[in-house]
Amino acid sequence: MIIEKIVGNVDEISTSGRHIERVYVSSDDLVKRIQRVTTDHGKELGIRLKEPRDLIDGDILYMDERNMIVISVTSDDLLVIHPTTMMQMGEIAHQLGNRHLPAQFEGKVMLVQYDYLVQELLEQLEVPFSREERKVKRAFRHIGHSHE
């Protein structure tokens, strides 16, 4: 089966009464419009999205009256940064921006993929953080930029 469009997302469409098969992907794979995947029931699928969009945790690849195939993102090794002041947030955001590291925000915390150099930086700047295995809904996306 080739999937060319996303039906919807489980946050918007009810799953009740349907059997759910899951496709487990890493957050890095969410940006791939073309890929081969296998469901947790062993069914092979090709994904070839016609529209230029990233996959999101909970996206429904297929749905009929009785079945759904849903994207589930596996956990990432993350640094969860808990700045205590606006100054601290600005400093760490500036430092991470200079390194072109993609970040995500959830409430009052900043999430970045684990990197021992970033951990050392956070310790040096005395910014509170924790290292956690956590599931993100969207891909960490690098922003295209060059220093010319």
Side-chain angles (χ1 to χ4, degrees):
M1 177 186 310
I2 306 262
I3 306 299
E4 294 183 328
K5 70 177 193 164
I6 303 304
V7 175
N9 193 286
V10 294
D11 291 342
E12 304 154 356
I13 296 174
S14 173
T15 62
S16 67
R18 289 191 173 93
H19 172 75
I20 298 175
E21 285 185 60
R22 299 209 177 265
V23 172
Y24 292 97
V25 298
S26 70
S27 63
D28 292 339
D29 290 335
L30 293 173
V31 298
K32 298 178 181 175
R33 285 187 18 214
I34 300 172
Q35 58 184 306
R36 182 172 299 285
V37 296
T38 304
T39 71
D40 59 350
H41 289 54
K43 188 181 296 176
E44 285 195 23
L45 305 172
I47 299 174
R48 184 178 61 216
L49 299 180
K50 289 186 174 186
E51 60 184 52
R53 81 183 278 287
D54 292 347
L55 294 169
I56 299 171
D57 184 60
D59 274 349
I60 302 167
L61 302 176
Y62 172 82
M63 181 174 71
D64 64 21
E65 303 78 39
R66 294 178 294 158
N67 299 297
M68 288 179 130
I69 300 176
V70 177
I71 291 286
S72 285
V73 180
T74 57
S75 296
D76 281 305
D77 186 7
L78 301 177
L79 291 170
V80 181
I81 304 168
H82 306 269
T84 56
T85 66
M86 198 61 151
M87 181 69 159
Q88 222 176 38
M89 174 57 101
E91 176 69 21
I92 195 61
H94 177 74
Q95 292 283 342
L96 296 177
N98 279 343
R99 296 166 190 235
H100 300 280
L101 287 178
Q104 295 185 23
F105 299 88
E106 286 183 5
K108 295 184 177 186
V109 299
M110 177 189 284
L111 307 174
V112 296
Q113 290 175 313
Y114 176 77
D115 180 307
Y116 74 95
L117 293 172
V118 174
Q119 181 175 340
E120 287 175 4
L121 174 67
L122 293 169
E123 290 167 350
Q124 182 183 38
L125 295 174
E126 298 180 356
V127 177
F129 72 93
S130 57
R131 184 176 177 184
E132 300 176 18
E133 282 287 323
R134 194 186 270 204
K135 183 174 164 174
V136 294
K137 197 160 180 66
R138 299 183 182 276
F140 282 93
R141 195 96 158 110
H142 288 275
I143 297 172
H145 174 74
S146 63
H147 294 278
E148 294 178 15

